[in-house]
Amino acid sequence: MSMTVTGRFAPTPSGRLHLGNLLCALLAYLSARHADGRFLLRIEDLDAPRCPKRLCDAAIQDLTWLGITWDEPPLFQSERGEIYQRYARQLEQKGLLYPCFCTRAQLHAAAAPNRGDDNPVYAGTCAHLPPDEIAERIKTRRPAIRLRVPDETISIWDRHYGEYSEYMPRDCGDFIIRRSDGLFGYQLAVVVDDALSGVNEVVRGHDILASTPRQVYIQRMLGFDTPSYIHIPLLEDAEGRRLAKRDRDMDLTSLAKRFSREDILGMLAYSAGILKEERPAAMDELIDVFDWKNVKKEDIRLGRAIG
Ligand code: GLU
């Protein structure tokens, strides 16, 4: 008996969603619905000041405008700190966590490691501080909390790109699961939320592939199943620049003035390789014809009409 697919889209609304985010939402949605599966929405507003309510609302409106539906009320990560705390405690009880007083800690944000995760591998400065030194330092500075990585290679299988491996001490290093300001990091939150929501298919941008071994490691440590992963190509504008949340002209408020929903769906589906020609298309048709085999692997450049 095959398992019901549960997919999800998990935007971080620190800006308006752009076409690249919408393409990701669309592919995640089509994949789940084509398999008669369930689909969930999770708003990754962990860093609440960077993701104000108006942007969370706008993300929900944009997805609704596009015709994407979800089967449960959306989750908001900003409301789930106690849940993350519970799972962090489990990691702590396994002796996997340690406080880190390094000042760069603030930089290793709870924010999603998108746009070219450039966090350097941690040198391990605070990995073995004696308890009395920790007690002393904690008086003047609130530490970030790091997770020790194993002396191991973790490999994941991406259904679109194949195998991806990291030798954890060299390619990843001990990483932050709680910032010094108390906010939980993306890596822990995403694993806990996907597992508790029963998500078994994760479709997301290729820029997050490099986070996946960390997430698989956390899943193992918490006894969760690993979902199937499909990372997707990123969208570039007509000049070959990766779209950013700052690109105003790429958000739906401006696009909807020039294009209908079917125009945008057709254009996204065509750019991704799902349609053979560029023409308007309805969501139901796309659900019908969707096939991962047709989705491009190289980054996708938008046509001049739109990009
Ligand atoms: N919130 C992340 C982002 O917007 C995506 C996380 C994920 O899909 O796992 O980049």
Side-chain angles (χ1 to χ4, degrees):
M1 205 181 75
S2 64
M3 199 171 40
T4 307
V5 170
T6 301
R8 50 71 157 179
F9 179 56
T12 300
S14 54
R16 280 295 293 274
L17 299 186
H18 57 64
L19 279 177
N21 304 127
L22 295 176
L23 175 67
C24 183
L26 179 65
L27 293 179
Y29 182 76
L30 294 178
S31 182
R33 294 296 194 218
H34 180 79
D36 274 332
R38 288 159 37 78
F39 194 72
L40 307 176
L41 174 66
R42 179 172 71 238
I43 303 293
E44 299 210 321
D45 59 344
L46 272 177
D47 198 344
R50 283 184 58 229
C51 303
K53 184 166 180 312
R54 105 191 125 73
L55 289 175
C56 297
D57 290 347
I60 291 174
Q61 270 164 27
D62 288 349
L63 295 167
T64 306
W65 184 87
L66 203 62
I68 287 179
T69 58
W70 37 92
D71 299 313
E72 285 174 24
L75 287 188
F76 290 81
Q77 288 190 326
S78 57
E79 297 168 358
R80 295 170 62 78
E82 279 175 26
I83 298 173
Y84 308 137
Q85 172 68 45
R86 209 179 316 141
Y87 287 95
R89 214 169 286 135
Q90 286 188 26
L91 297 173
E92 187 180 16
Q93 280 159 2
K94 288 180 188 283
L96 295 171
L97 304 185
Y98 64 86
C100 171
F101 297 90
C102 299
T103 48
R104 281 190 58 83
Q106 284 97 345
L107 303 175
H108 297 238
N114 44 9
R115 313 329 131 214
D117 181 7
D118 54 3
N119 286 348
V121 172
Y122 183 57
T125 321
C126 295
H128 302 285
L129 294 179
D132 53 342
E133 189 167 344
I134 293 177
E136 199 47 48
R137 289 218 207 169
I138 230 159
K139 288 182 193 155
T140 53
R141 186 177 165 79
R142 193 168 169 180
I145 306 294
R146 280 185 193 271
L147 176 64
R148 285 181 210 281
V149 296
D151 185 15
E152 214 183 286
T153 297
I154 295 187
S155 300
I156 65 121
W157 182 257
D158 180 277
R159 277 164 53 200
H160 210 45
Y161 289 100
E163 183 174 303
Y164 175 77
S165 302
E166 283 189 356
Y167 175 51
M168 300 303 276
R170 185 196 56 216
D171 304 326
C172 176
D174 297 347
F175 59 92
I176 290 192
I177 63 146
R178 188 171 200 176
R179 304 196 318 197
S180 57
D181 62 7
L183 283 183
F184 283 97
Y186 157 76
Q187 309 290 354
L188 177 70
V190 81
V191 165
V192 167
D193 286 340
D194 280 339
L196 299 188
S197 324
V199 167
N200 54 18
E201 181 175 281
V202 170
V203 176
R204 59 188 180 188
H206 187 253
D207 50 346
I208 305 185
L209 182 64
S211 282
T212 312
R214 283 173 242 195
Q215 294 173 13
V216 168
Y217 175 55
I218 298 176
Q219 285 154 7
R220 289 182 191 165
M221 292 303 101
L222 293 175
F224 294 142
D225 289 341
T226 291
S228 89
Y229 286 105
I230 309 168
H231 291 85
I232 60 160
L234 299 174
L235 208 53
E236 299 172 338
D237 66 13
E239 271 73 54
R241 282 178 314 226
R242 190 182 287 181
L243 300 188
K245 292 197 177 112
R246 295 8 88 209
D247 297 338
R248 280 267 167 66
D249 49 343
M250 288 294 169
D251 73 41
L252 270 185
T253 305
S254 44
L255 292 171
K257 290 188 187 128
R258 296 191 283 149
F259 303 99
S260 72
R261 171 196 308 186
E262 284 70 24
D263 287 338
I264 301 220
L265 285 175
M267 188 273 306
L268 287 173
Y270 170 70
S271 340
I274 302 165
L275 289 180
K276 295 274 167 285
E277 71 279 2
E278 187 160 7
R279 60 166 170 82
M283 188 66 99
D284 282 348
E285 179 195 348
L286 296 180
I287 291 176
D288 236 29
V289 301
F290 181 77
D291 189 339
W292 278 112
K293 281 209 295 289
N294 298 330
V295 176
K296 293 179 187 165
K297 291 205 165 65
E298 64 283 4
D299 283 353
I300 298 169
R301 195 169 287 200
L302 282 170
R304 292 230 165 246
I306 206 154

